Amino acid sequence: MADITFMGGQAKGKVSPPPSKSHTHRAIILSALSEGKCTVGSPLSSFDTRATMDAVRAMGATVTEGENCVHVECEKIHVPDRTIDVLNSGTTMRLMTGISSLFDKEVTLTGDSSIQKRPMGPLLKSLSDAGVKCSSNDGKPPVTVCGPITGSELVIDGSVSSQFVSSLIMSSPLAGRPMDVRITGNLVSNPYIDITTTMMSRFGVEVTEENLVYHAEPQHYKPIDYRVPADFSSSAFPLVAGGIAGSVTVRGMDMSDPQGDRMIIDVLKQVGCKIDVHEDEITCSNTGVLEGAEIDMGNIPDLFPIVAVLLSTAKGRSRLYGAPHLRFKESDRIALTEKMLKTLGADITGTDDGCIINGVERLHGGRIEHNGDHRMMMAASIASLISDGPISMENDACWNVSYPGFTEQMASIGMKFE
């Protein structure tokens, strides 16, 4: 496969980041569970979200992609008529495993080679302890579950993935009895659970929370039309481009949305970038000098690679911490980020829960390995803006997982690639 090479350039202009992947996944699933007709407006159309569409189709939903919308219609979900293949979508794997536990027949979920390395043990243990028969490849996919849930409490270790928690919370109102989802350990990425419960409420289901116990009475989801907001995780890439090499405006943003990754705005301010917010537009501009910072990444793990790039040439010492779960993403993102930035001349050392960065004046070029991880690939491309030489990598178009049109949008603001 040929390489793609990024040669820096400038970062000046306006872009429209894609819709939220997290919201799109949940909207498609909740629409199918609502047993009616729903329209999901402004969805992210990507490999991952199409995997979720295919998963709910297997459970009886009719999913039709329209112009900037997805129509979902389902009379009643049923046991999937085939093995669910989530491709490379960890969100689909985890959310649909909880939904699959509602059936009294076996459901098997699998995915590509990357998915088959990702942990499912805590979720499967929680379901097993509540009466669901579970099997897996030593705690990793493929997994098979056979319900129903017979207990009244689901206990889950929240320190590995908030998606485990969201999976149980989404399915618990349909278990046929009052259910508690009790979280143990240190809960990571809590804002994603806020997204889940907020969206559940939009679809007519209420859960209460006290001391990390989420309680749901038996309820039914109701069909609605839902519009997906723009994605702060994706907006981080053009915003950082503006912060290190110019001035970039992202459009279609909602600062009141519970997305945890809106914290990228606070991070950019903290290191010295100029931020202007006007209605649904956010502009990030370079001020000449960026300062090192200590940043807790526990609730914003998806921002880790691009924040590491942001700080690689910031003055002084920086520390990213609080996110040991980064070891279990599409790749070991701590190790891969460290390797990528060291290849480009950064002074970075990985830690158990993040990294230490001592800012250098400039990066240099090189060929990096992104291992098919979309966020690594996009972060490396942005690094070319502060590099004295070109940065090349395998051109597998992995950015389409979360940011279709990424290279075209970056070219529109002045980034050069071939």
Side-chain angles (χ1 to χ4, degrees), residues 216-228:
E217 292 292 321
Q219 297 166 76
H220 293 284
Y221 290 102
K222 296 177 174 59
I224 63 166
D225 292 339
Y226 180 84
R227 185 175 181 83
V228 176

PDB file of all heavy atoms in Angstrom, residues 216-228:
ATOM      1  N   ALA A 216     -32.748   1.934  37.192  1.00  0.00           N
ATOM      2  CA  ALA A 216     -33.741   2.028  36.123  1.00  0.00           C
ATOM      3  C   ALA A 216     -34.940   1.158  36.454  1.00  0.00           C
ATOM      4  O   ALA A 216     -34.784  -0.023  36.776  1.00  0.00           O
ATOM      5  CB  ALA A 216     -33.145   1.602  34.796  1.00  0.00           C
ATOM      6  N   GLU A 217     -36.119   1.743  36.397  1.00  0.00           N
ATOM      7  CA  GLU A 217     -37.350   0.971  36.464  1.00  0.00           C
ATOM      8  C   GLU A 217     -37.654   0.414  35.064  1.00  0.00           C
ATOM      9  O   GLU A 217     -37.141   0.934  34.071  1.00  0.00           O
ATOM     10  CB  GLU A 217     -38.506   1.870  36.935  1.00  0.00           C
ATOM     11  CG  GLU A 217     -38.398   2.321  38.381  1.00  0.00           C
ATOM     12  CD  GLU A 217     -38.582   1.177  39.367  1.00  0.00           C
ATOM     13  OE1 GLU A 217     -39.450   0.312  39.119  1.00  0.00           O
ATOM     14  OE2 GLU A 217     -37.842   1.154  40.381  1.00  0.00           O
ATOM     15  N   PRO A 218     -38.457  -0.634  34.963  1.00  0.00           N
ATOM     16  CA  PRO A 218     -38.829  -1.133  33.632  1.00  0.00           C
ATOM     17  C   PRO A 218     -39.507  -0.031  32.812  1.00  0.00           C
ATOM     18  O   PRO A 218     -40.451   0.602  33.274  1.00  0.00           O
ATOM     19  CB  PRO A 218     -39.807  -2.273  33.952  1.00  0.00           C
ATOM     20  CG  PRO A 218     -39.457  -2.704  35.341  1.00  0.00           C
ATOM     21  CD  PRO A 218     -39.034  -1.459  36.055  1.00  0.00           C
ATOM     22  N   GLN A 219     -38.981   0.219  31.623  1.00  0.00           N
ATOM     23  CA  GLN A 219     -39.488   1.289  30.764  1.00  0.00           C
ATOM     24  C   GLN A 219     -39.320   0.895  29.308  1.00  0.00           C
ATOM     25  O   GLN A 219     -38.589  -0.039  28.983  1.00  0.00           O
ATOM     26  CB  GLN A 219     -38.720   2.599  31.022  1.00  0.00           C
ATOM     27  CG  GLN A 219     -38.860   3.167  32.419  1.00  0.00           C
ATOM     28  CD  GLN A 219     -37.833   4.251  32.692  1.00  0.00           C
ATOM     29  OE1 GLN A 219     -37.959   5.379  32.214  1.00  0.00           O
ATOM     30  NE2 GLN A 219     -36.798   3.923  33.443  1.00  0.00           N
ATOM     31  N   HIS A 220     -39.985   1.658  28.424  1.00  0.00           N
ATOM     32  CA  HIS A 220     -39.839   1.457  26.984  1.00  0.00           C
ATOM     33  C   HIS A 220     -39.313   2.738  26.350  1.00  0.00           C
ATOM     34  O   HIS A 220     -39.754   3.835  26.696  1.00  0.00           O
ATOM     35  CB  HIS A 220     -41.186   1.094  26.350  1.00  0.00           C
ATOM     36  CG  HIS A 220     -41.705  -0.246  26.780  1.00  0.00           C
ATOM     37  ND1 HIS A 220     -41.193  -1.433  26.298  1.00  0.00           N
ATOM     38  CD2 HIS A 220     -42.684  -0.589  27.657  1.00  0.00           C
ATOM     39  CE1 HIS A 220     -41.831  -2.447  26.854  1.00  0.00           C
ATOM     40  NE2 HIS A 220     -42.741  -1.961  27.689  1.00  0.00           N
ATOM     41  N   TYR A 221     -38.381   2.579  25.442  1.00  0.00           N
ATOM     42  CA  TYR A 221     -37.919   3.728  24.676  1.00  0.00           C
ATOM     43  C   TYR A 221     -39.024   4.175  23.719  1.00  0.00           C
ATOM     44  O   TYR A 221     -39.805   3.368  23.214  1.00  0.00           O
ATOM     45  CB  TYR A 221     -36.659   3.373  23.886  1.00  0.00           C
ATOM     46  CG  TYR A 221     -35.447   3.164  24.759  1.00  0.00           C
ATOM     47  CD1 TYR A 221     -34.991   1.883  25.077  1.00  0.00           C
ATOM     48  CD2 TYR A 221     -34.754   4.255  25.273  1.00  0.00           C
ATOM     49  CE1 TYR A 221     -33.875   1.689  25.882  1.00  0.00           C
ATOM     50  CE2 TYR A 221     -33.637   4.074  26.086  1.00  0.00           C
ATOM     51  CZ  TYR A 221     -33.201   2.790  26.383  1.00  0.00           C
ATOM     52  OH  TYR A 221     -32.099   2.620  27.204  1.00  0.00           O
ATOM     53  N   LYS A 222     -39.079   5.480  23.483  1.00  0.00           N
ATOM     54  CA  LYS A 222     -40.103   6.064  22.613  1.00  0.00           C
ATOM     55  C   LYS A 222     -39.453   6.633  21.354  1.00  0.00           C
ATOM     56  O   LYS A 222     -38.379   7.235  21.419  1.00  0.00           O
ATOM     57  CB  LYS A 222     -40.870   7.170  23.352  1.00  0.00           C
ATOM     58  CG  LYS A 222     -41.660   6.679  24.553  1.00  0.00           C
ATOM     59  CD  LYS A 222     -42.333   7.827  25.278  1.00  0.00           C
ATOM     60  CE  LYS A 222     -43.244   7.314  26.393  1.00  0.00           C
ATOM     61  NZ  LYS A 222     -42.497   6.524  27.389  1.00  0.00           N
ATOM     62  N   PRO A 223     -40.084   6.437  20.198  1.00  0.00           N
ATOM     63  CA  PRO A 223     -39.496   6.943  18.948  1.00  0.00           C
ATOM     64  C   PRO A 223     -39.508   8.470  18.890  1.00  0.00           C
ATOM     65  O   PRO A 223     -40.508   9.105  19.226  1.00  0.00           O
ATOM     66  CB  PRO A 223     -40.389   6.337  17.863  1.00  0.00           C
ATOM     67  CG  PRO A 223     -41.677   6.022  18.545  1.00  0.00           C
ATOM     68  CD  PRO A 223     -41.345   5.713  19.967  1.00  0.00           C
ATOM     69  N   ILE A 224     -38.398   9.045  18.490  1.00  0.00           N
ATOM     70  CA  ILE A 224     -38.291  10.490  18.303  1.00  0.00           C
ATOM     71  C   ILE A 224     -37.406  10.747  17.078  1.00  0.00           C
ATOM     72  O   ILE A 224     -36.774   9.828  16.545  1.00  0.00           O
ATOM     73  CB  ILE A 224     -37.657  11.211  19.520  1.00  0.00           C
ATOM     74  CG1 ILE A 224     -36.210  10.741  19.725  1.00  0.00           C
ATOM     75  CG2 ILE A 224     -38.493  11.015  20.780  1.00  0.00           C
ATOM     76  CD1 ILE A 224     -35.401  11.625  20.658  1.00  0.00           C
ATOM     77  N   ASP A 225     -37.342  11.983  16.645  1.00  0.00           N
ATOM     78  CA  ASP A 225     -36.352  12.422  15.672  1.00  0.00           C
ATOM     79  C   ASP A 225     -35.231  13.110  16.444  1.00  0.00           C
ATOM     80  O   ASP A 225     -35.489  13.948  17.325  1.00  0.00           O
ATOM     81  CB  ASP A 225     -36.965  13.376  14.649  1.00  0.00           C
ATOM     82  CG  ASP A 225     -37.971  12.678  13.746  1.00  0.00           C
ATOM     83  OD1 ASP A 225     -37.911  11.435  13.639  1.00  0.00           O
ATOM     84  OD2 ASP A 225     -38.832  13.370  13.163  1.00  0.00           O
ATOM     85  N   TYR A 226     -34.012  12.741  16.135  1.00  0.00           N
ATOM     86  CA  TYR A 226     -32.868  13.212  16.918  1.00  0.00           C
ATOM     87  C   TYR A 226     -31.800  13.770  15.981  1.00  0.00           C
ATOM     88  O   TYR A 226     -31.468  13.140  14.970  1.00  0.00           O
ATOM     89  CB  TYR A 226     -32.278  12.064  17.746  1.00  0.00           C
ATOM     90  CG  TYR A 226     -31.085  12.460  18.581  1.00  0.00           C
ATOM     91  CD1 TYR A 226     -31.256  13.037  19.843  1.00  0.00           C
ATOM     92  CD2 TYR A 226     -29.789  12.285  18.105  1.00  0.00           C
ATOM     93  CE1 TYR A 226     -30.163  13.425  20.602  1.00  0.00           C
ATOM     94  CE2 TYR A 226     -28.693  12.662  18.859  1.00  0.00           C
ATOM     95  CZ  TYR A 226     -28.889  13.236  20.101  1.00  0.00           C
ATOM     96  OH  TYR A 226     -27.805  13.625  20.853  1.00  0.00           O
ATOM     97  N   ARG A 227     -31.267  14.927  16.324  1.00  0.00           N
ATOM     98  CA  ARG A 227     -30.211  15.538  15.516  1.00  0.00           C
ATOM     99  C   ARG A 227     -28.868  15.398  16.230  1.00  0.00           C
ATOM    100  O   ARG A 227     -28.727  15.779  17.394  1.00  0.00           O
ATOM    101  CB  ARG A 227     -30.510  17.017  15.255  1.00  0.00           C
ATOM    102  CG  ARG A 227     -29.509  17.681  14.310  1.00  0.00           C
ATOM    103  CD  ARG A 227     -29.929  19.117  14.002  1.00  0.00           C
ATOM    104  NE  ARG A 227     -29.005  19.761  13.074  1.00  0.00           N
ATOM    105  CZ  ARG A 227     -29.058  19.634  11.762  1.00  0.00           C
ATOM    106  NH1 ARG A 227     -30.004  18.881  11.213  1.00  0.00           N
ATOM    107  NH2 ARG A 227     -28.189  20.250  10.982  1.00  0.00           N
ATOM    108  N   VAL A 228     -27.890  14.860  15.535  1.00  0.00           N
ATOM    109  CA  VAL A 228     -26.574  14.608  16.115  1.00  0.00           C
ATOM    110  C   VAL A 228     -25.741  15.895  16.098  1.00  0.00           C
ATOM    111  O   VAL A 228     -25.634  16.557  15.058  1.00  0.00           O
ATOM    112  CB  VAL A 228     -25.836  13.514  15.312  1.00  0.00           C
ATOM    113  CG1 VAL A 228     -24.421  13.307  15.847  1.00  0.00           C
ATOM    114  CG2 VAL A 228     -26.627  12.198  15.366  1.00  0.00           C
TER     115      VAL A 228
END
